[in-house]
Amino acid sequence: MTETVTKTDLPPFFPDHTQLPESDGTFVKNFQEHPQSLLLTDSLTSTLQRLHPDGYYCIGQDCGIYWRETEPPEKGAEAPDWFYVGNVPPKLQGQYRRSYVIWREHIAPRIVLEFASGDGSEERDRTPLYRSDEGEVTKPGKFWVYEQIIRAPYYGIFSIRDSSLEVYHHVDGFYQQMTPNERGHYPIPPMQVELGVWEGSYQNQTQEWLRWWDLEGNLLLIGQEEAQKERQEKELERQKRQELQEKLRSLSPEQLAALGIDLDAIG
């Protein structure tokens, strides 16, 4: 008896980051977005090196997170202003990441941040994905996608207009808005940091910015601030040493001898 083998058509292969668009062609919405992203990334570097000594993490800035296949492909992606994913390689097979593809990675970003230029309605849009009987698809809102599909444990909305910050924590399948602590910050325990608003100067802009603090409330510094702090500490040490020398010079030889100090050693 001859067995007939029927050919089965397999579904199309899920595309990867090299096969999906890097951008939807839209403009960055304001001039604060780029320096704000740099400030968050720069100040977090040492913390991430401690959390990931193997270097397995990536940070996206206006990069697409693909969560479903669509036509055109970019309609199936959200591009948060800033997000962080732990325990994934910074490159894929030696290639830089063009996007973050959920169906390839299976690891959700630990935090997603949006910098709202408008009234924040786009970032708070809970419209669900809906397909009618005629096949028409309702575009889902950002909030719904982050909450129900991407499921990032933390979602922050920073309003550029009034420098207000909302942070949500994913609990039992839904986002619950967090209450800030006594410092006005939002603890993010998996990252060992707090997120809050800081007023100061960065690059050539003086205003309020999103910043990280450690869990004890110490501001995480960027490289420039670290260098400035080191210079200030060295200068303070030099001043103290100079003051001590001046006090010692004011003492008589007998007083110095009683203290066991050699006059020539004072300088």
Side-chain angles (χ1 to χ4, degrees):
M1 180 177 180
T2 303
E3 182 177 346
T4 302
V5 178
T6 303
K7 180 181 178 181
T8 302
D9 292 328
L10 296 176
F13 194 64
F14 287 139
D16 63 18
H17 71 115
T18 64
Q19 300 163 312
L20 293 164
E22 294 181 69
S23 170
D24 63 0
T26 58
F27 292 111
V28 173
K29 296 177 183 177
N30 62 73
F31 281 77
Q32 187 178 348
E33 285 190 14
H34 182 62
Q36 174 63 87
S37 294
L38 292 177
L39 182 57
L40 287 170
T41 301
D42 189 357
S43 59
L44 194 61
T45 299
S46 59
T47 300
L48 293 180
Q49 288 174 342
R50 186 177 68 254
L51 291 175
H52 306 285
D54 57 2
Y56 266 47
Y57 70 89
C58 67
I59 289 175
Q61 299 173 178
D62 283 319
C63 296
I65 301 177
Y66 279 89
W67 59 277
R68 72 184 181 110
E69 287 192 273
T70 58
E71 185 56 45
E74 55 268 26
K75 287 187 175 293
E78 292 293 343
D81 292 310
W82 193 96
F83 66 92
Y84 149 70
V85 191
N87 301 321
V88 296
K91 291 184 177 182
L92 294 176
Q93 297 179 336
Q95 299 186 50
Y96 73 90
R97 290 178 175 274
R98 298 175 56 181
S99 58
Y100 191 77
V101 185
I102 288 292
W103 59 74
R104 288 277 181 165
E105 308 278 357
H106 305 292
I107 297 178
R110 292 189 181 175
I111 188 169
V112 168
L113 298 175
E114 290 280 6
F115 312 144
S117 296
D119 60 4
S121 57
E122 180 182 352
E123 290 74 18
R124 300 183 186 92
D125 189 351
R126 291 173 164 84
T127 302
L129 177 67
Y130 174 76
R131 187 185 299 273
S132 69
D133 293 338
E134 292 75 27
E136 295 182 1
V137 177
T138 301
K139 176 179 171 56
K142 281 189 176 183
F143 194 102
W144 185 87
V145 172
Y146 295 144
E147 177 188 61
Q148 295 299 316
I149 305 298
I150 296 176
R151 298 180 183 179
Y154 295 90
Y155 174 38
I157 304 173
F158 180 53
S159 174
I160 302 298
R161 286 183 176 180
D162 59 8
S163 302
S164 62
L165 174 63
E166 298 174 13
V167 179
Y168 297 84
H169 185 204
H170 205 273
V171 180
D172 296 331
F174 298 93
Y175 277 138
Q176 294 184 6
Q177 187 168 355
M178 297 175 64
T179 301
N181 62 17
E182 67 279 2
R183 290 185 285 269
H185 302 160
Y186 297 88
I188 315 293
M191 298 172 63
Q192 299 180 12
V193 295
E194 297 178 351
L195 181 65
V197 179
W198 169 84
E199 184 174 2
S201 298
Y202 179 63
Q203 295 187 358
N204 64 338
Q205 301 182 51
T206 300
Q207 58 199 39
E208 291 182 300
W209 304 88
L210 273 188
R211 292 293 299 261
W212 305 108
W213 285 259
D214 64 23
L215 295 178
E216 284 71 49
N218 301 302
L219 183 67
L220 300 187
L221 305 180
I222 60 174
Q224 180 181 351
E225 291 170 333
E226 288 280 9
Q228 182 179 0
K229 179 183 177 183
E230 186 177 344
R231 288 194 298 270
Q232 291 174 341
E233 290 175 348
K234 287 183 178 179
E235 175 61 19
L236 182 61
E237 183 181 346
R238 186 194 66 79
Q239 291 177 2
K240 288 182 177 180
R241 186 167 59 251
Q242 184 177 354
E243 291 174 0
L244 177 60
Q245 289 175 338
E246 291 175 355
K247 287 181 181 180
L248 292 175
R249 290 193 190 100
S250 67
L251 299 179
S252 66
E254 291 77 12
Q255 290 174 315
L256 290 172
L259 293 172
I261 300 175
D262 183 359
L263 182 62
D264 296 331
I266 298 177

